[in-house]
Amino acid sequence: MEVWLMSSSQAEVCKTELGCRDLRSCFGKTNDKNKLFSRKPDKVSFDTQFSRLRKAGLRFTVKAVHSEPILEAKFSTSSKSLDKLRLFVGLPLDTVSDDNTVNHARAIGAGLKALKLLGVEGVELPVWWGVVENEMGKYDWLGYLAVAEMVQKAGLKLHVSLCFHASVQQRIPLPKWVMKIGESQSSIFFTDRSGQHYRECLSLAVDDLSVLDGKTPLQVYRDFCESFKSTFSPFIGSTITAISMGLGPDGELRYPSHHKPAKSGTITGVGEFQCYDTNMLNHLKQHAEANGNPLWGLDGPHDSPTYDQAPNNFFNDHGGSWESPYGDFFLSWYSSELVSHGNRLLSIASSIFGGSEVVVYGKVPLIHSWNKTRAHPSELTAGFYNTASRNGYEAVAEMFARNSCKIILPGMDLSDEHQPHDSLSSPESLLAQIRTTCNEHGVEVAGQNLASGGLEQIKKNMLGENPVNLFTYHRMGAHFFSPEHFPSFTEFVRSLNQPELHADDFPSEEGEATGSVQTSSDPNIHLQTA
């Protein structure tokens, strides 16, 4: 396999022994920037793919892999290199398909080498509950083991995200046996005021209820994590250096309050409270009775808007029920239920992985719509009791600190100036608030972006006050390696690691034309300059 470097203003491409000249074409063309492919994926069995990758020079071994420096000391930088910044790139969401095969293994293998060449430290891999545990207590890790070995062979680090939710976009559901239980027990899912169920993750109200064939979700999550730790022990601490614990919808600590997309051309609404499944209502009833107000525990707020509506009634900036004694009672309970859920899951992750040389993370969303109002309604429906007069992230930061976990914050590519004026949104203010709160509680923050682009804003957020030391760029795929995107990403990475280059740091034209560098102890893998 050869990876060819073109000029700095062009995308880097790969040429494999199977005739593929462009990484983008290996992944398949698509208009969806987040989707890996639009044509039928080239799935093959693990054994077949294992054999083909060996022939391509990708030799799998569970032993540590020695990689020589990517580039000789031809490029030198001035003293302002950001040594502490660790940059990761997310692998495609469907890297491993629902039948546990590796999608586009050739393209991913070539992509890993391109990232290593750029100086990226590692990649993030989503590991889906619905892929691994299709029968209760029976785990199939084969596809993910193959990816871990590919990452190890490339000399990169691996950040694993344990996903206990589903992905409609990638057609990855919850485990079949869980969905079967849900057919007769819909109360295991979050429910909104109209009775609609959110079937992409379990309601936090069933965490400690024996609703999964005699086991609680917490027991099932723990068993899953224990199996992962045992299976991937040869990689943990060496290749696998970080693990994110899935905490809810899209892996984030929140309620699925905005799961209905806004209509085209409209502003995102405030969302809806998700407290109407039987078990959540039972919790609310008990809490109200314990506080001497049993009537407050009969239902959620009756005057709150629907998903796509702007703030009104309950969320009015002046005179809204959110500021009433009832509003404070409900919002305090609703947010504390979410924090308690996060505490339970991070406690599991910390107890299992805390002593295994990996860092444990959890993801907190950036719900920035309507942040310029006093009520912050979108944050309230998502479970964060954060208003103009109350810091709702104090309890969240305290919970992360208690479990010695770090926080992942998405949205570091967002700026206020690019938000619709009518949405009264301020991602920059909210991001600053959460980061300041985490800093006060000694909780380190890692960053992510929500979409391609916004590279200057990302750099600003990473290098400003309270700089982050780890950032994960989302996500590898056809668009990532396209000529419209990859050159700018390349320059972004180089600007982080080589902020100042002197003229004599650049190779001569003769060197550009003839240079060849070895990137691995494997002679079958070469890098050449075009």
Side-chain angles (χ1 to χ4, degrees):
M1 179 180 291
E2 296 174 336
V3 178
W4 299 80
L5 289 181
M6 302 171 69
S7 66
S8 61
S9 64
Q10 297 171 303
E12 301 190 19
V13 299
C14 79
K15 177 182 178 184
T16 72
E17 77 290 346
L18 296 177
C20 175
R21 291 198 58 85
D22 190 330
L23 270 174
R24 181 177 47 151
S25 63
C26 285
F27 283 100
K29 297 179 180 178
T30 174
N31 293 323
D32 188 336
K33 296 180 180 180
N34 298 311
K35 191 170 180 60
L36 177 59
F37 52 81
S38 56
R39 59 183 168 87
K40 184 178 180 181
D42 59 339
K43 299 179 183 178
V44 295
S45 69
F46 175 74
D47 292 337
T48 302
Q49 191 64 47
F50 191 91
S51 174
R52 295 172 76 180
L53 290 172
R54 279 187 181 279
K55 291 178 181 179
L58 299 176
R59 298 173 183 171
F60 290 168
T61 174
V62 178
K63 297 179 181 179
V65 174
H66 170 72
S67 294
E68 297 179 9
I70 302 170
L71 293 173
E72 298 172 9
K74 186 175 293 185
F75 285 89
S76 62
T77 65
S78 55
S79 60
K80 295 184 179 180
S81 180
L82 303 174
D83 296 330
K84 294 184 179 181
L85 178 63
R86 303 165 58 207
L87 184 62
F88 281 63
V89 172
L91 290 173
L93 289 172
D94 59 351
T95 294
V96 176
S97 63
D98 56 3
D99 58 358
N100 229 303
T101 57
V102 180
N103 286 327
H104 299 280
R106 291 178 301 164
I108 288 174
L112 294 176
K113 297 181 189 309
L115 294 179
K116 179 68 174 177
L117 177 67
L118 279 179
V120 171
E121 180 171 329
V123 291
E124 176 263 341
L125 173 66
V127 173
W128 298 93
W129 183 23
V131 170
V132 175
E133 192 180 359
N134 264 320
E135 292 184 54
M136 185 177 184
K138 296 182 180 180
Y139 309 100
D140 185 353
W141 300 103
L142 208 55
Y144 292 111
L145 280 168
V147 176
E149 293 192 6
M150 292 173 69
V151 173
Q152 184 189 61
K153 181 65 177 178
L156 295 169
K157 300 299 183 183
L158 185 60
H159 182 145
V160 172
S161 296
L162 301 179
C163 303
F164 296 106
H165 62 281
S167 172
V168 172
Q169 182 185 22
Q170 301 301 326
R171 299 180 181 178
I172 300 176
L174 294 177
K176 293 181 176 66
W177 61 275
V178 174
M179 295 302 292
K180 185 175 181 180
I181 292 171
E183 290 175 3
S184 58
Q185 299 182 49
S186 59
S187 60
I188 67 173
F189 301 117
F190 285 110
T191 307
D192 63 19
R193 187 169 54 189
S194 64
Q196 297 181 77
H197 303 298
Y198 179 80
R199 299 179 182 273
E200 294 173 43
C201 70
L202 299 181
S203 168
L204 59 80
V206 299
D207 278 352
D208 52 5
L209 299 181
S210 300
V211 295
L212 300 180
D213 287 344
K215 283 191 172 184
T216 69
L218 292 180
Q219 289 173 320
V220 172
Y221 300 151
R222 176 177 287 277
D223 291 346
F224 186 93
C225 293
E226 292 279 13
S227 177
F228 175 87
K229 181 181 179 181
S230 174
T231 303
F232 288 84
S233 58
F235 301 95
I236 291 178
S238 53
T239 298
I240 298 175
T241 57
I243 292 175
S244 293
M245 188 69 172
L247 302 177
D250 297 325
E252 299 175 335
L253 180 68
R254 64 176 174 87
Y255 291 99
S257 54
H258 292 80
H259 67 265
K260 282 192 173 183
K263 296 177 181 178
S264 178
T266 63
I267 301 298
T268 300
V270 299
E272 286 193 18
F273 292 112
Q274 305 290 309
C275 61
Y276 296 92
D277 64 78
T278 301
N279 300 298
M280 283 291 286
L281 288 175
N282 285 340
H283 285 199
L284 177 59
K285 181 174 182 292
Q286 293 168 12
H287 183 68
E289 291 174 349
N291 281 271
N293 291 292
L295 294 180
W296 286 357
L298 299 180
D299 211 346
H302 69 279
D303 59 345
S304 59
T306 58
Y307 288 104
D308 57 358
Q309 288 183 321
N312 61 55
N313 298 326
F314 186 86
F315 296 119
N316 283 338
D317 258 5
H318 300 283
S321 302
W322 64 277
E323 284 192 290
S324 69
Y326 165 75
D328 179 63
F329 158 83
F330 175 81
L331 295 171
S332 296
W333 167 79
Y334 189 68
S335 60
S336 66
E337 289 283 299
L338 182 67
V339 172
S340 296
H341 167 72
N343 183 63
R344 291 190 288 268
L345 291 183
L346 290 182
S347 294
I348 290 174
S350 294
S351 65
I352 294 174
F353 301 112
S356 57
E357 300 181 48
V358 298
V359 179
V360 178
Y361 289 84
K363 190 173 180 180
V364 174
L366 193 72
I367 311 292
H368 55 84
S369 295
W370 309 108
N371 184 261
K372 292 181 180 179
T373 66
R374 293 183 61 247
H376 297 201
S378 289
E379 293 169 78
L380 298 183
T381 58
F384 299 96
Y385 192 1
N386 188 57
T387 67
S389 58
R390 190 180 192 280
N391 187 349
Y393 298 95
E394 290 277 358
V396 175
E398 289 172 0
M399 182 267 292
F400 272 81
R402 189 183 316 128
N403 290 287
S404 301
C405 296
K406 298 183 180 182
I407 283 180
I408 295 174
L409 276 179
M412 290 200 171
D413 53 324
L414 303 180
S415 61
D416 288 4
E417 65 176 310
H418 292 108
Q419 304 306 311
H421 177 74
D422 293 341
S423 71
L424 298 179
S425 172
S426 181
E428 293 183 49
S429 297
L430 182 56
L431 190 62
Q433 178 191 356
I434 298 175
R435 292 177 69 178
T436 299
T437 303
C438 288
N439 187 54
E440 291 171 351
H441 290 274
V443 177
E444 290 189 33
V445 171
Q448 285 183 356
N449 58 318
L450 290 175
S452 61
L455 296 178
E456 286 304 315
Q457 187 68 23
I458 292 173
K459 189 191 298 186
K460 175 184 174 182
N461 282 318
M462 286 195 293
L463 308 182
E465 293 184 20
N466 304 321
V468 301
N469 67 355
L470 184 144
F471 185 86
T472 302
Y473 190 89
H474 281 181
R475 177 174 299 274
M476 187 191 290
H479 174 74
F480 181 82
F481 288 109
S482 69
E484 297 78 26
H485 175 266
F486 197 62
S488 56
F489 178 76
T490 299
E491 292 304 316
F492 166 71
V493 176
R494 289 173 177 166
S495 72
L496 293 176
N497 293 312
Q498 301 174 343
E500 292 184 10
L501 285 176
H502 298 294
D504 57 358
D505 289 329
F506 291 91
S508 64
E509 292 184 4
E510 179 182 357
E512 287 182 348
T514 61
S516 176
V517 292
Q518 186 83 22
T519 62
S520 169
S521 55
D522 188 338
N524 291 319
I525 302 176
H526 263 287
L527 291 172
Q528 297 183 347
T529 53

